Amino acid sequence: MRKILLVRTDRIGDTLLTLPVVKPIKERWPDCKIDFLARTYTHPILKNVKEIGQILNYDPEGVHRGIRGHQLLATEIQQQNYEAAILFYPRFGLTFALWRAGIPRRIGTSHRWYSFLLTDRVHQSRRECLKHEVEYNLDLLEPLIQDLPSEIPQFRLAIPEKTKRELQEIFTANDILGKYIVVHPGNGDSAPNLTLDQYRTLIQQISLSGIRVVLTGVNSEKEYNQLLKSEFTTNNISDLTGKLNLEQMIALLSEASGLITTSTGPAHIASAVGTPVATFYCPAIPHTPDRWGPLENLERVITPKLTNSHCQMKQCPHGTQGCLATCLQDDQINQALNYLL
């Protein structure tokens, strides 16, 4: 039986954009066992992907810290007897561990100083953002599968019945009935964001339509979301910030009429459960939706109307927050609502 290890150890959204590679592998080798090396916070996603067997945990701040920790990781990987490993997020420590584990085929990109530790080096540089992240990930299958499908494989996340029941209990506890649109204002400062006033405009328009607004976010975003909600007297806004685990968040998005957010993990989660997503993206490299947009909702991505069609974030005249805060027009805010209402 073939046994392949997929390695992606960064953010939730990045991990989701790697998962479409599973389908071509299974189509080529239906009996292939596919395992995944990932960070703990992505495990709730991976454990509900039926094509993935074992999830190996990567803990670079703990047991896998430093060279000794990566030697331990190599030992753990070696015990699994993988035929091949594909490294989607290149890092020296991970490349070293795959090499030290003696995996016969180690696949990754070619331009890093440590790429000599790989057996199959794919020539690609993602820096210019010339295509979507999923396409870059699929390119790394070429050493194993030469005739890859021309269309990007569709991917769907599963929702366990237990999580669906938990979500209904959360709905009951928070008086959430009927249709709702999720607004997720935070993005972990991973990309430019909208302003507080822009989010208030969106929430006001949704609320006026009679559809409930559900605010989401992590614990560190509670104060911001409370401030956002405090301007409204309507009881048509529910704040679930910090109240959901990742699996419950996936279930919430699967039942939603839509999601409004920026470049962040929930945009890719919603896309992966078939929910319409209206997203606001800075068009500058490296944040461009050409690479990072929610794959099945690219037609619902909104960017400021700029004269420079190939701008770079490091040269942005609008500063570190980019152009979303200053260049989005009122009709573009309304456009997002039209996509979902």
Side-chain angles (χ1 to χ4, degrees), residues 215-228:
L215 293 173
T216 57
V218 297
N219 279 322
S220 61
E221 295 161 348
K222 275 186 177 180
E223 185 176 348
Y224 184 92
N225 285 2
Q226 287 171 355
L227 182 62
L228 192 56

Side-chain angles (χ1 to χ4, degrees), residues 31-91:
D31 294 331
C32 179
K33 186 176 187 296
I34 301 174
D35 291 350
F36 210 110
L37 175 65
R39 301 293 294 273
T40 305
Y41 48 75
T42 63
H43 289 197
I45 289 174
L46 297 170
K47 75 179 186 180
N48 292 312
V49 180
K50 61 182 178 59
E51 296 87 355
I52 292 177
Q54 185 178 5
I55 304 170
L56 280 65
N57 186 45
Y58 179 54
D59 182 16
E61 285 85 35
V63 295
H64 300 138
R65 184 175 180 178
I67 289 295
R68 185 168 295 180
H70 284 85
Q71 288 174 330
L72 172 62
L73 177 63
T75 300
E76 294 168 353
I77 293 172
Q78 188 178 37
Q79 293 170 353
Q80 303 299 322
N81 296 314
Y82 293 111
E83 176 183 326
I86 308 174
L87 182 62
F88 297 96
Y89 182 59
R91 288 294 182 269

Side-chain angles (χ1 to χ4, degrees), residues 276-324:
V277 187
T279 48
F280 294 89
Y281 271 72
C282 167
I285 294 173
H287 304 297
T288 170
D290 293 344
R291 180 178 172 190
W292 294 111
L295 194 57
E296 295 182 34
N297 286 271
L298 293 177
E299 75 282 0
R300 297 188 180 98
V301 172
I302 299 159
T303 59
K305 299 171 182 175
L306 303 176
T307 55
N308 185 356
S309 61
H310 199 65
C311 48
Q312 298 267 351
M313 191 66 198
K314 60 186 177 182
Q315 300 169 350
C316 179
H318 304 285
T320 57
Q321 289 304 306
C323 53
L324 291 186

Side-chain angles (χ1 to χ4, degrees), residues 28-233:
R28 176 57 59 91
W29 302 295
D31 294 331
C32 179
K33 186 176 187 296
I34 301 174
D35 291 350
F36 210 110
L37 175 65
R39 301 293 294 273
T40 305
Y41 48 75
T42 63
H43 289 197
I45 289 174
L46 297 170
K47 75 179 186 180
N48 292 312
V49 180
K50 61 182 178 59
E51 296 87 355
I52 292 177
Q54 185 178 5
I55 304 170
L56 280 65
N57 186 45
Y58 179 54
D59 182 16
E61 285 85 35
V63 295
H64 300 138
R65 184 175 180 178
I67 289 295
R68 185 168 295 180
H70 284 85
Q71 288 174 330
L72 172 62
L73 177 63
T75 300
E76 294 168 353
I77 293 172
Q78 188 178 37
Q79 293 170 353
Q80 303 299 322
N81 296 314
Y82 293 111
E83 176 183 326
I86 308 174
L87 182 62
F88 297 96
Y89 182 59
R91 288 294 182 269
F92 168 68
L94 294 169
T95 311
F96 168 80
L98 298 179
W99 168 76
R100 187 68 181 264
I103 297 176
R105 298 194 71 176
R106 304 179 297 278
I107 303 166
T109 56
S110 63
H111 62 284
R112 308 275 174 168
W113 68 264
Y114 47 82
S115 295
F116 71 93
L117 296 172
L118 302 168
T119 61
D120 297 83
R121 294 175 285 276
V122 177
H123 298 284
Q124 67 171 219
S125 176
R126 307 189 184 197
R127 185 173 298 174
E128 292 301 313
C129 302
L130 298 177
K131 53 186 174 181
H132 199 276
E133 181 71 5
V134 171
E135 295 177 281
Y136 283 121
N137 292 331
L138 287 167
D139 285 348
L140 292 179
L141 292 182
E142 288 181 354
L144 296 177
I145 307 173
Q146 284 73 43
D147 53 342
L148 287 167
S150 56
E151 293 186 1
I152 295 176
Q154 187 183 67
F155 171 76
R156 284 285 180 268
L157 278 173
I159 315 293
E161 289 300 321
K162 174 177 176 291
T163 309
K164 292 179 181 179
R165 292 193 295 270
E166 291 172 355
L167 180 65
Q168 292 306 314
E169 293 172 2
I170 292 168
F171 284 166
T172 301
N174 290 274
D175 296 321
I176 299 174
L177 299 172
K179 293 177 63 175
Y180 61 89
I181 288 176
V182 175
V183 177
H184 188 87
N187 65 11
D189 295 325
S190 61
N193 206 341
L194 300 179
T195 66
L196 194 69
D197 285 341
Q198 287 170 324
Y199 278 118
R200 282 177 178 147
T201 298
L202 287 163
I203 291 170
Q204 182 178 33
Q205 294 302 316
I206 298 169
S207 186
L208 288 173
S209 74
I211 298 177
R212 178 171 292 276
V213 174
V214 176
L215 293 173
T216 57
V218 297
N219 279 322
S220 61
E221 295 161 348
K222 275 186 177 180
E223 185 176 348
Y224 184 92
N225 285 2
Q226 287 171 355
L227 182 62
L228 192 56
K229 184 184 175 185
S230 66
E231 294 289 315
F232 299 95
T233 57

